[in-house]
Amino acid sequence: MSTDIQDASGRQWLADLRATLTDDHATQTVRLTELTADTGDPGEAHTRAALIAATRMSLGRIADALRRIEDGRYGACERCGAQIPPERLEVVPHARFCVPCQQKHHG
């Protein structure tokens, strides 16, 4: 997929992605609410805490991606400014970096 976010098909792709991310955010918010409900089982406290942390991290990434869409910055690498390939964004919709910069960032 070599769609430019500025053309009509790219704008539709971005609108669809925004809808998917919004749905994911709502799902993760419900999950977080369920996880934070005290079950009273101290044996599950550690697992629940890990799930809560992971869910909060996921919510943050989704919210950041939605903010970048609204700001018109979505799809641009935050390090080098290059366009992140749509194929990468399909797999990792919250990606902030192109692959080379991601490798440098975590390398």
Side-chain angles (χ1 to χ4, degrees), residues 44-96:
E44 292 181 6
H46 180 71
T47 301
R48 192 170 50 253
L51 289 171
I52 288 169
T55 303
R56 284 184 176 148
M57 186 180 309
S58 178
L59 277 167
R61 288 178 178 157
I62 293 168
D64 287 346
L66 287 167
R67 203 169 8 264
R68 288 192 305 276
I69 290 170
E70 292 304 316
D71 294 345
R73 298 178 295 116
Y74 186 80
C77 176
E78 290 184 6
R79 176 168 278 174
C80 72
Q83 184 69 29
I84 299 171
E87 296 83 6
R88 174 164 168 71
L89 294 171
E90 293 258 342
V91 175
V92 185
H94 56 77
R96 297 172 37 217

Side-chain angles (χ1 to χ4, degrees), residues 3-4 13 21-22 25 35 38 44-45 74 78 103 105-106:
T3 302
D4 181 1
W13 176 82
L21 286 169
T22 300
H25 193 275
L35 287 169
D38 186 11
E44 292 181 6
Y74 186 80
E78 290 184 6
Q103 291 171 340
H105 185 72
H106 290 291

